[in-house]
Amino acid sequence: MSIEKPVRFFASPGGTLSGRLRVPGDKSISHRSIMLGSLAIGETRISGFLEGGDSLATLAAFRAMGVNIDGPDAGRVRIQGVGLKGLKAPADALYLGNSGTSMRLMSGLLAGQSFDTTLTGDVSLSGRPMLRVVQPLISMGARIDTQAGGTAPLEIHGTAELAGIDYSMPVASAQVKSCILLAGLYASGTSCVTEPAPTRDHTERMLAGMGYPVQRQPGRVCIEGGHTLNGIEIDIPADISSAAFFLVGASIAPGSELLLEHVGVNPARTGIIEILQRMGADIEVSNERDVGGEPVADLQVRSAPLHGIDIPAELVPLAIDEFPVIFIAAACAQGRTVLTGAEELRVKESDRIQVMADGLQTLGINATATPDGMIIEGGALGSGCVDSHGDHRIAMAFSVAALRARGEIEILNCANVNTSFPGFVELAGDAGLLIDVR
Ligand code: S3P
């Protein structure tokens, strides 16, 4: 599937979710496994790799820079790492599709290469803000040209002159933090990042797992350039951001009971569980274990009556990708839900505040977009046609809404579901959510 071919979902109303399922591998960890595996010495063997458009774009980019990568084959990938200095100049610009994570993280590590690269993406990615990574990289000595407006294509002129930085991030962004840490691998001295609120720490965990020294304190991480990474085995857990659609679906569809297996429950990612539990959801976290340095658990969810809440601001970065489907939960809850402090949602794959408010209104819900969030009065979901604007998580969120809708929901521009959740329609169908693709 690609964004050029319009794909429409027709989600049938009603139904119940049941059974046990394992959603595809974590997108954030899949990207990092390719990047760090490529820069390591020796072989990295990955299982559970997400074979979605975004992580495949990262994989293709490293192949184009001369890294020998086998797979993916049923989630298995083998990388022959080339070491920190072993990448080669790609023949062409690196096309990263819809993937902000690829572009922002790779900007950091490409800034320190001995060759130049150009990074391009689709229409959505070409409109997303890149100065948040380019400005701190320039303070480290990087040479990067953006388009007017600070967007891609990015022209990165590699340099051996990067120097460490002590950077206090104005926004809580794991992509910005990771970008600076990856540039820090190539910089002289020490690079430190302080974050205004906790963000996902998969980069730090994987660097440490590969034997790279990382100094961590609460809210701050430092790395010194010039050490080496060693290839390892990486078992990637199921993506909690994909599990989120089923956590909400089973909560709102009466009579549901679902077990989601082997889900990554990194504490910087579990805001969705906490928010849903505060709304009254029945979610049990069991069998908690450590898998290669990342916490993993099984999640049992049963339907339950939800009520509206004021979402605490400190939970926003811990659930940043889950708000489209949290808005669906709020639409099905009794009373009012208020989200504030989430202006970042306006610069995701789409403006997730406006696009979700528009879609909810089409379905008869009283939803008011605010500059940094939304006010939603729970109510009865009707039927109608909504536009996902090519945003994968919005297409899946409105699919899940059908479980409680009075009639069919038609969703436009769904091709990008494949960027993060290949097989969504089939897996949802197995669990009890019927979606016709046309
Ligand atoms: C990601 C960080 C988040 C998240 C994105 C993946 C990552 O972005 O929304 O889907 O893998 O580091 P921000 O850093 O912009 O918050």
Side-chain angles (χ1 to χ4, degrees), residues 51 77 114 152 168 170 211 266 273 297 304 319 383 402 435:
E51 296 183 40
V77 178
S114 59
S168 212
N266 181 305
I273 298 177
S383 65
I435 303 167

Side-chain angles (χ1 to χ4, degrees), residues 27-28 32 101 104 132 172-175 200 320-321 348:
K27 181 156 76 72
S28 293
R32 288 153 172 85
T101 308
R104 297 210 179 106
R132 56 180 60 198
S173 165
Q175 292 180 353
R200 64 194 71 191
I320 194 65
D321 290 336
K348 293 292 178 187

Side-chain angles (χ1 to χ4, degrees), residues 100-116:
T101 308
S102 309
M103 188 169 283
R104 297 210 179 106
L105 269 61
M106 286 174 59
S107 299
L109 73 90
L110 293 174
Q113 302 301 322
S114 59
F115 52 84
D116 297 349

Side-chain angles (χ1 to χ4, degrees), residues 184-395:
L185 299 174
Y186 292 91
S188 58
T190 302
S191 300
C192 296
V193 184
T194 303
E195 49 188 10
T199 66
R200 64 194 71 191
D201 61 355
H202 307 302
T203 306
E204 297 90 306
R205 287 174 188 254
M206 199 178 287
L207 284 167
M210 291 183 152
Y212 203 98
V214 180
Q215 284 82 46
R216 302 190 63 184
Q217 296 158 25
R220 184 170 163 85
V221 54
C222 296
I223 197 172
E224 195 186 60
H227 297 272
T228 50
L229 294 160
N230 299 309
I232 53 169
E233 298 222 350
I234 303 174
D235 174 3
I236 300 178
D239 197 329
I240 190 167
S241 297
S242 297
F245 300 103
F246 293 98
L247 292 175
V248 171
S251 295
I252 63 172
S256 296
E257 179 163 357
L258 203 57
L259 183 72
L260 295 156
E261 295 173 325
H262 204 75
V263 181
V265 287
N266 181 305
R269 301 284 300 280
T270 48
I272 174 71
I273 298 177
E274 172 132 21
I275 290 169
L276 289 176
Q277 284 174 337
R278 283 174 183 238
M279 296 176 79
D282 178 356
I283 300 171
E284 246 173 72
V285 181
S286 63
N287 197 10
E288 279 191 74
R289 54 215 185 261
D290 177 283
V291 178
E294 288 280 351
V296 171
D298 299 327
L299 307 179
Q300 172 97 43
V301 52
R302 298 181 185 86
S303 53
L306 302 183
H307 54 83
I309 58 166
D310 288 354
I311 298 174
E314 66 271 18
L315 292 181
V316 170
L318 311 184
I320 194 65
D321 290 336
E322 284 65 78
F323 284 102
V325 79
I326 290 170
F327 295 150
I328 300 300
C332 296
Q334 177 129 42
R336 172 182 292 191
T337 295
V338 181
L339 172 69
T340 53
E343 49 277 271
E344 273 294 296
L345 295 182
R346 291 199 179 270
V347 290
K348 293 292 178 187
E349 286 82 330
S350 72
D351 175 345
R352 287 183 173 162
I353 293 177
Q354 198 56 53
V355 174
M356 284 302 300
D358 291 347
L360 286 170
Q361 284 161 12
T362 300
L363 299 176
I365 296 294
N366 181 351
T368 310
T370 63
D372 66 341
M374 190 141 30
I375 303 167
I376 299 173
E377 305 288 348
L381 282 161
S383 65
C385 175
V386 298
D387 192 343
S388 77
H389 288 266
D391 187 322
H392 53 136
R393 299 202 197 279
I394 291 184

Side-chain angles (χ1 to χ4, degrees), residues 3-4 95-99 103 120-127 390 416 419:
I3 186 74
E4 282 80 30
Y95 177 71
L96 302 172
N98 194 240
S99 179
M103 188 169 283
T120 64
D122 69 7
V123 174
S124 156
L125 183 54
S126 304
N416 277 339
T419 60

